[in-house]
Amino acid sequence: NYISRDPIGFCQGSSPEGVPFPMVIINMSRNVLSDHRYTETDCKAALQLITSILLNCHGAVDHLMPLILDTAAMRSSLANDSPAVKMCVSEIIGAALHYNCPLTLEILQMGNATELMLDMVLGSLQDDYGLNGSPRKAVAFGFCSILKQDFCTLPPLVKLRICKIFELLVKLLIEVKNETEGLGKALSGEEEIDANDADMVEKESSMGSTNDREESEEEFAPEECDLSNLKGFKKNYNGNDGDCSWVDFDYDGAGSDEFDNPLDSFDSLQYFSVSYKLFQAKQPELLSKMIQSLPHNEQIELNNILNEEALRAKEEERQVN
């Protein structure tokens, strides 16, 4: 999509009324997410657009982070959302943590929303959809970003949940490792791919982003962000809210679970290994307790992941030298 193919042009561009494109997309998404007439597919697409901004526009939307996190908080307050929508909200939080972990935690802390958002993310990962859903990579990278921070500087509520964060991160990475090994066996001919699975892979690989922006005859003004879901936080984002009369959210649902994700070019296990070593260097005793709290089979899997990453790092170093 346009955001991933030309992030600089996207961030520097603006609507005919002079509203920056990122602000237009976020305001449009807020309108979709706050209107019950839109379908689950529409809401997932709106959330994924925000995630795409965070993942593709690194360092360029700091001033919009309060608005982005308020949007996530606004949607997370709905109790009747499906697991798929909740996971897409979790993906925004994971992407925000990966985008700028200290800034994200500071905004959530100032808005008294740390507990709300962390518990929502952790809760969304409790079921099979959460562990196997496509947004999990952003969540895993977000959790890794927390491990990379100085533990002493983390908000108290994050410290209290660090064991749970680590536990679910390990579960996510085990799933990633198993999928990677399964794919490797299938490609090498050790396993046969079910015909239906093959069709699905082919279909998914051919899917592109189908988000279209068409000129609309009806004007609608985006609601002003009052950060009501981030209580106590003062607005510090710049730019004119403007209107989005030139944009119509017309989404047909095709490829709704997929968008160009720059995280796909990174190895989740390798990124975790780096984060793990940083945390180990600063908090060895706490890390030991966290590992011991894991089920025995997950401790073994974690050890295998770390050993394999260490061997791969040595092999890469040998090839360079």
Side-chain angles (χ1 to χ4, degrees):
N1 57 45
Y2 176 39
I3 299 174
S4 60
R5 292 175 183 173
D6 186 11
I8 296 177
F10 170 74
C11 290
Q12 294 178 348
S14 61
S15 71
E17 293 78 16
V19 183
F21 281 156
M23 180 70 79
V24 170
I25 295 299
I26 294 171
N27 279 330
M28 179 183 68
S29 297
R30 286 174 66 85
N31 275 278
V32 172
L33 295 169
S34 61
D35 190 334
H36 68 277
R37 293 173 297 178
Y38 285 99
T39 66
E40 176 184 307
T41 299
D42 295 328
C43 292
K44 287 170 59 180
L47 293 165
Q48 288 179 332
L49 280 173
I50 296 175
T51 298
S52 185
I53 290 175
L54 288 169
L55 295 180
N56 288 287
C57 307
H58 205 79
V61 292
D62 287 16
H63 60 293
L64 295 177
M65 289 299 287
L67 183 60
I68 289 173
L69 293 172
D70 177 70
T71 303
M74 175 186 71
R75 189 67 195 192
S76 68
S77 64
L78 300 181
N80 59 344
D81 262 339
S82 68
V85 172
K86 289 180 180 179
M87 195 60 206
C88 286
V89 177
S90 298
E91 184 179 27
I92 289 180
I93 302 302
L97 289 168
H98 178 63
Y99 173 88
N100 189 325
C101 189
L103 177 62
T104 297
L105 293 177
E106 178 185 2
I107 293 172
L108 292 177
Q109 184 78 355
M110 294 177 69
N112 297 322
T114 306
E115 184 174 16
L116 169 69
M117 300 312 300
L118 270 183
D119 287 350
M120 189 275 302
V121 175
L122 294 172
S124 68
L125 295 173
Q126 297 295 330
D127 55 30
D128 290 339
Y129 183 90
L131 289 176
N132 296 306
S134 61
R136 68 180 177 191
K137 194 161 191 176
V139 175
F141 272 70
F143 282 175
C144 285
S145 296
I146 291 178
L147 291 184
K148 292 171 71 175
Q149 307 306 307
D150 185 345
F151 184 77
C152 296
T153 65
L154 292 176
L157 288 170
V158 178
K159 291 180 180 179
L160 287 174
R161 289 162 175 77
I162 194 67
C163 290
K164 191 65 177 178
I165 290 172
F166 183 75
E167 175 191 336
L168 289 175
L169 175 57
V170 171
K171 289 181 182 294
L172 285 171
L173 293 169
I174 290 174
E175 289 293 325
V176 170
K177 178 176 179 290
N178 291 339
E179 279 190 3
T180 303
E181 291 177 348
L183 179 61
K185 291 180 180 179
L187 292 176
S188 64
E190 294 181 28
E191 291 184 357
E192 294 184 2
I193 301 180
D194 182 88
N196 292 331
D197 292 339
D199 290 340
M200 182 62 71
V201 170
E202 181 178 357
K203 181 179 179 181
E204 290 181 352
S205 63
S206 64
M207 281 182 177
S209 176
T210 60
N211 293 357
D212 297 320
R213 293 193 283 269
E214 299 177 353
E215 187 172 343
S216 173
E217 295 180 359
E218 295 184 4
E219 295 188 359
F220 64 92
E223 60 181 354
E224 182 179 359
C225 174
D226 59 6
L227 296 176
S228 59
N229 296 289
L230 296 180
K231 299 175 182 177
F233 189 84
K234 297 179 180 179
K235 291 187 287 185
N236 67 354
Y237 59 91
N238 302 316
N240 175 25
D241 283 351
D243 74 54
C244 301
S245 59
W246 63 292
V247 177
D248 180 31
F249 194 84
D250 183 12
Y251 186 77
D252 64 9
S256 60
D257 289 330
E258 300 294 336
F259 63 92
D260 293 335
N261 188 340
L263 294 184
D264 290 341
S265 61
F266 292 93
D267 189 316
S268 302
L269 302 179
Q270 187 176 26
Y271 190 78
F272 167 74
S273 179
V274 173
S275 304
Y276 179 94
K277 291 176 182 177
L278 289 173
F279 191 86
Q280 184 181 45
K282 297 177 180 179
Q283 296 290 334
E285 294 183 3
L286 176 58
L287 180 60
S288 178
K289 293 179 180 178
M290 290 161 55
I291 294 174
Q292 291 174 9
S293 68
L294 296 174
H296 182 66
N297 64 311
E298 292 182 5
Q299 292 184 36
I300 295 175
E301 290 282 1
L302 173 61
N303 190 57
N304 291 338
I305 289 174
L306 294 171
N307 287 338
E308 289 175 12
E309 287 304 311
L311 290 174
R312 184 167 66 173
K314 288 183 180 180
E315 178 62 21
E316 289 178 356
E317 183 178 356
R318 186 188 66 80
Q319 292 179 358
V320 170
N321 297 330

